[in-house]
Each structure stands twice: as C-alpha cells, then as structure tokens.
C-alpha cells in the first residue's frame, strides 16, 4: 500500500537541512536518496510535493550583494541522453532530446504569453529536485553551475527568461531572479 505521497511501503519524504530540499528515506533499510524509489506513483508524488514541500522565499544573503552572486530559477527537462536520465517525476526517462526540447518550447510559450510563470510550471514539470522551490536554485557564483547554464544566467538581467539552454543535465529555461 502506498502512502499519500505515492511512495512504496517504508518510504517517506524528509527534509535536508543542509541542502534545504526534500529527500526520500526508507525507514526499514535506512537508505536515503534524492530521487524517488522504484514503484513510486509519480502523479501522487507531484501533488503531495506541491502541497507539502513548497518553501518560503529565499532571503538575500549579504554575499549576493558584494560577492558577485546571482539568483536564478529553472525548469529542467531531462532526456534519455542526460547524464542522469531519472528524476523525482520519472524513474527512467526515455524521451529523446528533441522531445525534451519540444516540451520545453511549449512551456516557454506559456510563460512568454503570461499563461503561467516559470516557477509554477517548474513545481510540476521540472525534472530537477528544485521543483519543490519553484525551480529556485538560490544564490550562486561563477564556477558553481555547468558552463552553458552559468553563461546564460549571468548574461540575463533580473526578470528575464532565457531561451532553451542545453547542458549535460538536459534542457533548461532559466529565469534570473536577482
């Protein structure tokens, strides 16, 4: 019998204080992992996470003002050739890169038309665990992210949303927050 979170027996969602993200813990085996365990009902998990693991806004640290750091959110769509083709949404990602780009372009159209925000879409559609925080990655500096992601994020002004950005992780839309 699955929990209300859609997890198999003995699994529960816990919160990492160091990463400020939820993770999955098996109370019987004491195994912990960032990705949902096999047998998870991903639709039930999406609903549970959107309800129970949306976080409060991140406050601006002093280092962001004078340390050259920026804050961004993203929506990640992984594909079968991503460096880790699994996520909290899907245990095994089989879509092609072209399908991932097509999906992301659909999300981009909704964002640019004002139908949805990147953060709201990220909560249910992003393959990154940051989905729980509306895609918010917090503050980061140069050298903290993959090169293509970093270049796109630092090139934007706050409030701007990128076009499709390809990295080894998959394809992203990035919104510069600060």
């Amino acid at each position: 019998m699955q929990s209300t979170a859609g997890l198999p027996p003995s699994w529960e969602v816990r919160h990492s204080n160091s990463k400020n993200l939820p993770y999955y813990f098996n109370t019987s085996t004491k195994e912990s992992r960032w990705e949902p365990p096999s047998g998870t009902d991903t639709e039930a998990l999406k609903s549970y996470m959107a309800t129970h693991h949306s976080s409060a806004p991140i406050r601006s640290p002093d280092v962001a003002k004078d340390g050259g750091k920026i804050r961004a959110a993203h929506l990640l769509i992984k594909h079968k050739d991503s460096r880790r083709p699994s996520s909290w949404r899907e245990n095994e990602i089989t879509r092609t890169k072209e399908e991932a780009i097509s999906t992301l372009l659909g999300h981009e159209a909704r964002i640019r038309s004002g139908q949805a925000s990147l953060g709201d879409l990220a909560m249910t559609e992003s393959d990154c665990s940051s989905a729980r925080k509306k895609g918010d990655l917090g503050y980061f500096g140069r050298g903290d992210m993959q090169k293509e992601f970093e270049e796109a994020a630092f090139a934007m002004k706050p409030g701007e949303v990128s076009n499709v950005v390809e990295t080894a992780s998959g394809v992203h839309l990035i919104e510069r927050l600060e």
Side-chain angles (χ1 to χ4, degrees), residues 58-71 139-140 176-178:
I58 295 174
R59 289 191 205 154
S60 174
D62 293 338
V63 96
K65 301 226 185 303
D66 54 15
K69 294 192 176 203
I70 65 169
R71 182 171 158 223
Y139 289 91
F140 57 89
R176 170 99 179 247
L177 301 174
E178 293 180 37

Side-chain angles (χ1 to χ4, degrees), residues 67-125:
K69 294 192 176 203
I70 65 169
R71 182 171 158 223
H74 77 138
L75 193 164
L76 168 66
I77 304 294
K78 292 184 176 185
H79 51 80
K80 65 182 181 179
D81 297 319
S82 296
R83 68 179 176 183
R84 204 170 40 78
S86 66
S87 77
W88 70 276
R89 296 178 62 235
E90 298 174 77
N91 288 327
E92 182 184 356
I93 295 173
T94 58
R95 74 180 69 84
T96 66
K97 182 177 175 179
E98 292 72 26
E99 290 169 329
I101 290 171
S102 177
T103 299
L104 199 61
L105 289 171
H107 296 324
E108 181 182 15
R110 292 182 62 202
I111 292 165
R112 297 207 189 280
S113 72
Q115 291 177 8
S117 70
L118 183 141
D120 288 341
L121 284 174
M123 286 186 72
T124 57
E125 304 304 318

Side-chain angles (χ1 to χ4, degrees), residues 7-175:
L7 298 172
S10 300
W11 285 93
E12 62 186 30
V13 179
R14 292 195 175 174
H15 191 83
S16 165
N17 292 325
S18 62
K19 299 245 184 213
N20 195 30
L21 288 172
Y23 66 96
Y24 306 95
F25 183 77
N26 186 310
T27 56
S28 297
T29 66
K30 308 301 182 209
E31 176 189 356
S32 63
R33 55 190 298 170
W34 293 110
E35 302 301 329
S38 180
T40 297
D41 177 340
T42 56
E43 290 305 312
L45 180 60
K46 282 184 205 178
S47 176
Y48 177 85
M49 296 307 273
T51 303
H52 300 290
H53 284 277
S54 301
S55 66
I58 295 174
R59 289 191 205 154
S60 174
D62 293 338
V63 96
K65 301 226 185 303
D66 54 15
K69 294 192 176 203
I70 65 169
R71 182 171 158 223
H74 77 138
L75 193 164
L76 168 66
I77 304 294
K78 292 184 176 185
H79 51 80
K80 65 182 181 179
D81 297 319
S82 296
R83 68 179 176 183
R84 204 170 40 78
S86 66
S87 77
W88 70 276
R89 296 178 62 235
E90 298 174 77
N91 288 327
E92 182 184 356
I93 295 173
T94 58
R95 74 180 69 84
T96 66
K97 182 177 175 179
E98 292 72 26
E99 290 169 329
I101 290 171
S102 177
T103 299
L104 199 61
L105 289 171
H107 296 324
E108 181 182 15
R110 292 182 62 202
I111 292 165
R112 297 207 189 280
S113 72
Q115 291 177 8
S117 70
L118 183 141
D120 288 341
L121 284 174
M123 286 186 72
T124 57
E125 304 304 318
S126 182
D127 286 318
C128 181
S129 57
S130 68
R132 284 88 157 153
K133 299 186 294 181
K134 294 190 169 193
D136 193 333
L137 296 167
Y139 289 91
F140 57 89
R142 293 199 180 272
D144 292 340
M145 299 289 177
Q146 292 175 39
K147 183 176 184 239
E148 303 88 347
F149 188 99
E150 176 185 299
E151 288 174 356
F154 274 88
M156 293 187 295
K157 294 181 174 77
E160 289 182 336
V161 175
S162 72
N163 293 316
V164 174
V165 175
E166 295 182 31
T167 70
S169 297
V171 292
H172 314 251
L173 287 177
I174 305 166
E175 180 178 7

